[in-house]
Amino acid sequence: FEVKSDDETEDDDDEICGFPKRTFCIMAVILLLVILIGAIVGGVMASSSPSTPSNAQAGAPSDQVPTTNPAGTAPSTNAPIQIIIVTPEPTAAPIVANTNSEVAKLGSILLPFEEVENLSIFDPSYRALEWLLEDDATESNNLGISLQEESQELRERFAVASLYFATNGKGWISSDRWLTPGVSVCNWEGVSCRSGNVTSLVFNANRLDGVLPVSTLSQLSWLEILNLPQNALLGTLSTEIGKLTNLEIMNLYSNSFDGSLPTELGNLQNMVELTLWFNNFNHKLPTELGLLTRLEKLDVAQNAFTSEIPTEFGNLQAVRKLFLDGNSFRGPLPSELGNLQRLELLHVPNNQLSGIVPSELENASSLVEVKLSANSFAGGLDNIFCGRQMTLFYSDCLDAGAVSCPCCTHCCGTGGCFEQTITLAPTMAPTSRLGTFADILIGRNDQAKQNAILSDPNSPQYKALMWINDKDYPADENIEDSASLQERYGLAVLYYATGGDTNWYAGGDTWLSPGFPQCQWEFVACLANQVRFLRLINNNLVGTIPEEIHKISSLRLLEIRDNPMIPSTIPTQIGELQFLSNLSLDGISLTGTIPTELMQLQFLTSLDLANNDLEGNIPTRMQQLFNLKSLNLATNALDGGLPTELATLRLLQSIQLQENSLSGSIPIEWGAQILSAVPSVGVIPSFEFLQILRLDQNNLSSNLPIQLGELKALRELHLQDNGFTGVVPTQLMDLPVLQYFRVSSNQLRGTIHTVIGNMQKLSYLNVEKNAFSGTIPSQMGTLTSLTSLSLAFNPSLLGEIPSTFGNLIRIDKIFLHGTGLVGGLDNLFCDRRLSLYFADCLNSTGTADISCSCCNYCCDAFGGECAPVQV
C-alpha cells in the first residue's frame, strides 16, 4: 500500500457502512479478486467439459493420427500435438465489429446486417469501407457525399470501390483515376454516368482477377452496361444479379466463371445482349431466360451446359443471334425455334444434339447463317433451308449415312469441314479485275509473289483476295487504292491465316461481312474511320501472324495473346507500324529472337512478348524506344546479361523479365543518377518512375547494387530464385512505397536492418531460404500493412520473436520455421485465425523451440519437416 502523508490521513477515521474507510476498501478489493479468479476457473472448466467432446471422444476421422516420438527419444514434456493429414479448414479473419467501429457504422448504412456482422478485414467490402473512411472522407464530403447517411452517390462510390478491391485493382492494366479521393466515380476510367448515376462499367481485357462482387454491384440500380470480358473473373454468378433490372448489355465472355446460371437472370427484362461464351458455366440453361423478350443476342458458347435446349427460347421474339455451340446439349432442337421470325444466326455445332431437324425452322424466315455440324442429327435438310439464300450453312453432310444437304455451303465430317464448291485459281489477264486487286494489294512490281499467291487457293492471301474480288468490293465501282482497302485486305489475311473461318470462338458473324465497315467488326476499334485498335485475346486463333499485318498501317494497339498458335517468329513487318504504341503478343508460341525492326517503333509505350519461346539476348537497341513505359519479356528462354542501355528509358514504370535464363549482375546504372535533358532539373534517377521490377527465376548473381535504393517509386521488387550474394543494402529496406519485397532462395546474408520499419506500405515480405543472421528487429512490428511474412529457412536467425509483431493487424500468412527463433507466440497471433501459420513447434528432440498453440502447421527445426495440426 502507499505511504500517505499526514494530510492524507486526516480522513482515516471516516466510516462506510460501519467500517473504517481503509478497511472497507481492502475488503472490496479482495472481493473483486475472488470474483475474477472464479470467473477464470469456471471458463477453463467449461472449455474442458465432457459436453463438448474432443475429436478422439466423438470418433475422430481415421486420417487424424496423434504425434509419435521417434524410437529412442524421450517423450515431450508437453502434451502431444495431434497431427492431421488433411488441408486445414479455411480460417476466418477478425470480424469488423472487433476491428473498427467506424467501419461497422458505415457498413450498417451500406450493407445488410448479416454481412456487416460477418465482415472480415480481408473482404473487399471492408477495404472499400476503410478507403471511404480513411482516404476519401474529406474529399468525398467536398463532392456533397456524407458518410453519415444513406445516399445513391455513397452507395455507388462504395460499390465501384468494392469492384476494385475484389478484382485486384492494383494488377489492372489500366485504372486511371480509380480510388482518387475527391474525384467522382463518373470520371474513373471505364465508368460512365448519366445524371450523376453510374450506367456503364466497361473493362475489356484489363486483368480483373477475382470474384465479381455482385452483391455490392447490385447497388448500382441504374446500371445498363456491364462489360467485363477477357479477364480472370471466377466463381459463380450470384443470384443478386437479378436486382440489376435496368441492365441492357452484359458481356462476361472469356473469364473463368463456373456453376449454374442463376434463374434470377429472368428478372432482367431490359436485357438486349447477354454474352457469356468461354467460361465454365454448367448444368442446364435456366428456362427463365425465355422471359427476356427484348433479348437480341444470346451467346453461351464454349461452356459446359447439359440437358436439352429450353423450349422457352421460342418466346425470344426479338432475338437475332443465338450461339449455343461447344457445350453438351442433348436431345432434339426445339421446334419452337421456328417462332423466331427475327433470328438471323443459329449456331449449335459441337454438342450432343440428335433427331430430325424440325421442319418448323423453315418459318424462321430471317435465317441466313446456320451451323449444325458435329452433332448427331439425321434426315434431310433440303425442304427446310434450300429454298433461300444462305451466307453460311454447316451440317454433317460429308460422311456416308450423314445428313443430306445439297445447299450447305460447308459439309463436315470426321476430317473437318470443307466448302461444297471448289474455286480454282483463275487464269488472269493483266487487265482483269482480280489482277488489279493483286497489283494494289500485293505489289505491281512483285510478279513472283503474285504468281505464288494466285497459284495457291489454300493460302490466306489468296482467300482474302477472292473475298474482296468476289464478295466485298462492289462490282460497279472503279477499283482505287485506299487506306480502307489495304486495311480490309490485311484484316482478311489475318482472319484466314489464324483460322477465323473455322476456329475462332467469336467474331465470325461480323468479320468479312461484305460491305460491312471494318470499324464495326468485333475486336476492332477505329478513330477517324481508321483502324487504331485490334484485340484478339483468347479467341482460339491458330496459324501464324501474317506479314500483311502491316497493311493496317494506322494501328495504335495490337494485342494478339493467349491463343494456341503455331510456333513461328515475330513478323519483322510489325516494325513498319510506325504509330504503334501498344504491342502485346503474349502466349502465342513465338520462337526465334526479338527482331531489331521492333526498335523502329518510336511511339511504343508498352511491349509485351511474355509466355513464348523467344531466345537470344535482350536487344541493346531497345534504348531507342524512349517512350516505353512497360516492358514484359517474362517466361521465355532469353539469355545473356541485363543491358545497361535500358537505364536510358527513364519513363519505364514496369520491367518484367522473370522466368528466363538471364545471367550476370544487375547493372548499377539501373539505379544511378543521370543528367536530365532539362538543365534546370539537374540529375535524376535513371528509372525515376519505375514501380515494378521483376527479375526472379533467372541465373543472376553478385551483390545487390545499393543504387537500387534510388528507385523511390518502386512498389514491387521481385529478386527471388537467383544466386545473389552479400548483404541486402539498407537502402533497399528504406523504399517508402514498396509493397512487395521478395528475395527468397538466394545466398544473401547479414542482419535485417532496423530501417525496414520505414516501409509502411509493405504488404508482402519474403526473405526465406537465405543466410540471414542475428535477431529480428522490433521495428518490423510497425509494418501494419503486412499481410504475408516469410523468414523461413534462415537457420542463423536467432532470439525471440519481437512482441511488436502483435501490432501486425493485417497479417494473414506467416512462416517462421527452419530458423533459430525461440520463445512463445501465443500472445501475438492466437487472438485471430491466420490462413497459414508455420513455426518450429514440433522438435524431434522432445522440446519445441517455439511455443505456439494456434499454429496450423508445426515444423521440426532439425529435419525441416512440417505437418498440419489441429488448432
Side-chain angles (χ1 to χ4, degrees):
F1 297 96
E2 288 182 87
V3 178
K4 297 187 178 182
S5 66
D6 292 337
D7 293 337
E8 291 174 311
T9 60
E10 291 179 359
D11 295 331
D12 280 357
D13 295 331
D14 293 348
E15 295 183 349
I16 299 177
C17 297
F19 294 95
K21 182 184 294 183
R22 180 191 299 271
T23 304
F24 183 88
C25 293
I26 295 173
M27 292 172 63
V29 170
I30 293 173
L31 179 61
L32 289 173
L33 289 173
V34 170
I35 293 172
L36 180 60
I37 293 171
I40 295 173
V41 172
V44 172
M45 294 178 65
S47 67
S48 60
S49 172
S51 63
T52 308
S54 65
N55 283 339
Q57 294 168 329
S62 60
D63 58 355
Q64 298 181 9
V65 295
T67 304
T68 58
N69 290 320
T73 62
S76 170
T77 56
N78 298 324
I81 299 174
Q82 188 179 22
I83 307 296
I84 55 173
I85 311 175
V86 294
T87 303
E89 293 182 359
T91 57
I95 62 172
V96 64
N98 293 334
T99 57
N100 191 323
S101 60
E102 289 299 316
V103 171
K105 182 179 178 181
L106 181 57
S108 66
I109 297 175
L110 298 170
L111 294 168
F113 172 76
E114 61 274 10
E115 289 189 30
V116 178
E117 192 175 41
N118 297 311
L119 198 61
S120 86
I121 62 174
F122 303 110
D123 287 339
S125 296
Y126 178 92
R127 298 174 68 187
L129 293 169
E130 189 177 45
W131 172 76
L132 285 169
L133 286 165
E134 295 182 1
D135 298 331
D136 191 52
T138 302
E139 289 76 3
S140 62
N141 189 54
N142 294 335
L143 294 173
I145 301 175
S146 171
L147 301 184
Q148 307 303 317
E149 57 187 22
E150 180 182 0
S151 67
Q152 183 63 22
E153 294 85 355
L154 178 59
R155 285 192 173 279
E156 293 190 343
R157 200 167 184 82
F158 164 66
V160 177
S162 296
L163 174 65
Y164 180 89
F165 290 113
T167 59
N168 188 28
K170 290 190 298 183
W172 292 0
I173 294 175
S174 185
S175 56
D176 192 25
R177 294 182 297 279
W178 273 72
L179 301 195
T180 302
V183 174
S184 168
V185 294
C186 299
N187 294 323
W188 294 3
E189 184 175 4
V191 182
S192 299
C193 298
R194 186 171 60 249
S195 301
N197 294 311
V198 175
T199 57
S200 173
L201 291 174
V202 178
F203 280 105
N204 293 35
N206 200 45
R207 295 183 187 168
L208 276 68
D209 184 358
V211 177
L212 188 66
V214 176
S215 60
T216 51
L217 290 181
S218 66
Q219 303 192 35
L220 303 176
S221 54
W222 296 96
L223 193 66
E224 299 173 354
I225 299 174
L226 181 62
N227 277 2
L228 306 175
Q230 297 175 313
N231 286 291
L233 299 172
L234 47 82
T236 58
L237 191 60
S238 168
T239 59
E240 301 284 320
I241 197 73
K243 295 181 179 179
L244 295 172
T245 54
N246 283 310
L247 205 58
E248 297 180 4
I249 297 175
M250 183 164 71
N251 288 330
L252 301 178
Y253 62 83
S254 193
N255 279 286
S256 298
F257 289 106
D258 56 24
S260 303
L261 285 181
T263 59
E264 287 76 6
L265 285 173
N267 299 337
L268 308 181
Q269 298 292 303
N270 291 306
M271 186 71 76
V272 174
E273 180 176 325
L274 179 59
T275 309
L276 305 174
W277 59 267
F278 205 76
N279 279 284
N280 297 310
F281 289 118
N282 48 51
H283 301 299
K284 63 180 182 179
L285 280 176
T287 59
E288 288 79 3
L289 290 178
L291 300 174
L292 306 180
T293 55
R294 294 187 59 194
L295 193 66
E296 296 181 8
K297 178 181 179 181
L298 174 62
D299 190 344
V300 294
Q302 306 298 327
N303 279 283
F305 291 113
T306 56
S307 74
E308 298 184 352
I309 297 172
T311 59
E312 288 80 1
F313 280 12
N315 299 326
L316 301 174
Q317 292 300 313
V319 74
R320 295 171 50 248
K321 300 176 182 179
L322 191 56
F323 299 93
L324 307 176
D325 41 306
N327 284 282
S328 296
F329 290 118
R330 59 180 183 271
L333 267 182
S335 60
E336 289 79 2
L337 296 181
N339 300 334
L340 306 179
Q341 295 297 309
R342 297 183 181 180
L343 186 64
E344 299 171 2
L345 277 72
L346 175 62
H347 287 198
V348 294
N350 296 293
N351 280 290
Q352 300 172 24
L353 298 169
S354 58
I356 303 296
V357 176
S359 60
E360 288 83 356
L361 284 180
E362 183 180 5
N363 300 326
S365 56
S366 298
L367 270 175
V368 294
E369 184 173 312
V370 176
K371 293 186 178 181
L372 306 174
S373 53
N375 282 289
S376 299
F377 291 120
L381 302 177
D382 309 27
N383 299 328
I384 303 176
F385 300 111
C386 288
R388 68 181 75 178
Q389 183 68 36
M390 302 287 284
T391 304
L392 285 175
F393 188 8
Y394 286 66
S395 74
D396 295 323
C397 49
L398 187 64
D399 297 335
V403 170
S404 169
C405 185
C407 59
C408 281
T409 61
H410 292 73
C411 272
C412 305
T414 54
C417 295
F418 302 91
E419 290 189 41
Q420 285 233 71
T421 56
I422 300 175
T423 305
L424 298 177
T427 302
M428 283 183 7
T431 58
S432 71
R433 174 183 167 91
L434 187 58
T436 303
F437 281 124
D439 286 344
I440 292 174
L441 298 172
I442 301 175
R444 185 182 305 275
N445 299 321
D446 198 343
Q447 288 299 316
K449 187 174 182 180
Q450 283 195 30
N451 292 336
I453 290 174
L454 293 171
S455 62
D456 183 5
N458 293 318
S459 73
Q461 292 81 5
Y462 174 86
K463 292 179 179 180
L465 269 176
M466 293 303 296
W467 170 74
I468 288 176
N469 183 68
D470 295 347
K471 297 181 179 181
D472 187 52
Y473 208 89
D476 56 350
E477 282 192 19
N478 292 327
I479 301 173
E480 296 181 357
D481 192 7
S482 67
S484 179
L485 178 60
Q486 296 286 345
E487 284 181 349
R488 290 176 81 79
Y489 176 66
L491 290 168
V493 175
L494 176 64
Y495 177 82
Y496 287 115
T498 57
D501 53 339
T502 56
N503 291 85
W504 286 15
Y505 291 143
D509 55 333
T510 56
W511 279 59
L512 303 200
S513 297
F516 193 62
Q518 63 267 33
C519 293
Q520 296 181 31
W521 295 0
E522 199 164 357
F523 315 126
V524 176
C526 295
L527 291 174
N529 292 320
Q530 295 178 321
V531 176
R532 305 291 181 88
F533 307 95
L534 179 58
R535 276 181 165 171
L536 290 163
I537 305 169
N538 196 13
N539 200 39
N540 203 37
L541 275 69
V542 296
T544 62
I545 300 174
E547 65 180 52
E548 286 79 7
I549 194 74
H550 77 280
K551 297 281 187 180
I552 317 171
S553 58
S554 295
L555 270 179
R556 267 48 168 184
L557 180 146
L558 176 59
E559 195 166 5
I560 303 176
R561 60 181 176 87
D562 300 326
N563 287 288
M565 301 184 73
I566 297 172
S568 62
T569 58
I570 300 173
T572 59
Q573 290 80 3
I574 290 179
E576 298 177 29
L577 297 171
Q578 58 179 324
F579 301 111
L580 201 63
S581 64
N582 190 312
L583 176 61
S584 178
L585 305 177
D586 185 326
I588 58 172
S589 305
L590 294 173
T591 59
T593 60
I594 300 173
T596 56
E597 286 81 359
L598 296 187
M599 309 312 136
Q600 303 171 27
L601 302 173
Q602 298 297 304
F603 294 103
L604 202 64
T605 61
S606 177
L607 177 60
D608 183 358
L609 305 176
N611 299 297
N612 286 293
D613 296 305
L614 297 171
E615 56 189 11
N617 296 344
I618 300 173
T620 58
R621 286 184 58 189
M622 198 168 283
Q623 63 179 325
Q624 297 173 211
L625 304 177
F626 50 82
N627 283 307
L628 201 63
K629 295 181 180 179
S630 176
L631 174 63
N632 189 354
L633 306 177
T635 318
N636 280 287
L638 299 171
D639 53 25
L642 300 173
T644 58
E645 291 82 0
L646 290 185
T648 62
L649 303 177
R650 59 175 297 267
L651 296 182
L652 273 172
Q653 298 177 15
S654 175
I655 300 176
Q656 299 189 58
L657 305 176
Q658 69 271 21
E659 296 185 58
N660 280 286
S661 298
L662 300 169
S663 58
S665 60
I666 300 176
I668 61 173
E669 290 85 356
W670 281 23
Q673 302 282 331
I674 61 175
L675 187 63
S676 171
V678 181
S680 60
V681 173
V683 294
I684 54 176
S686 57
F687 290 146
E688 181 182 5
F689 306 106
L690 193 64
Q691 299 180 29
I692 299 173
L693 179 58
R694 293 204 60 175
L695 303 175
D696 46 290
Q697 301 181 66
N698 278 287
N699 299 319
L700 298 170
S701 58
S702 192
N703 293 348
L704 298 177
I706 62 173
Q707 288 81 3
L708 293 182
E710 296 296 324
L711 306 180
K712 300 301 183 184
L714 206 60
R715 296 180 181 274
E716 296 186 24
L717 180 59
H718 303 262
L719 304 175
Q720 71 272 20
D721 295 293
N722 279 288
F724 292 118
T725 57
V727 300
V728 177
T730 57
Q731 292 85 345
L732 286 187
M733 296 187 183
D734 194 19
L735 293 170
V737 296
L738 197 67
Q739 297 174 3
Y740 289 81
F741 186 33
R742 303 175 68 184
V743 293
S744 57
S745 299
N746 281 287
Q747 302 170 35
L748 299 169
R749 55 183 173 80
T751 60
I752 300 174
H753 202 277
T754 58
V755 296
I756 198 170
N758 296 339
M759 295 199 291
Q760 289 298 303
K761 299 288 185 179
L762 200 63
S763 64
Y764 188 102
L765 175 60
N766 190 343
V767 300
E768 68 181 34
K769 296 182 181 179
N770 280 287
F772 289 107
S773 59
T775 59
I776 302 174
S778 61
Q779 290 81 357
M780 193 178 289
T782 66
L783 304 177
T784 54
S785 297
L786 207 60
T787 61
S788 179
L789 169 65
S790 180
L791 306 174
F793 301 110
N794 284 283
S796 296
L797 273 181
L798 307 173
E800 295 191 355
I801 292 91
S803 60
T804 55
F805 270 34
N807 299 325
L808 303 178
I809 59 173
R810 288 183 171 82
I811 199 74
D812 182 53
K813 299 179 180 67
I814 188 165
F815 306 88
L816 304 175
H817 55 297
T819 66
L821 299 172
V822 297
L825 299 177
D826 293 1
N827 295 330
L828 298 180
F829 304 114
C830 288
D831 60 341
R832 68 194 85 169
R833 297 188 68 186
L834 309 187
S835 63
L836 289 174
Y837 191 1
F838 284 67
D840 293 328
C841 44
L842 180 65
N843 197 321
S844 61
T845 62
T847 303
D849 291 336
I850 289 181
S851 169
C852 183
S853 61
C854 58
C855 285
N856 49 30
Y857 281 80
C858 270
C859 309
D860 183 345
F862 291 91
E865 297 181 357
C866 300
V869 299
Q870 183 181 21
V871 180

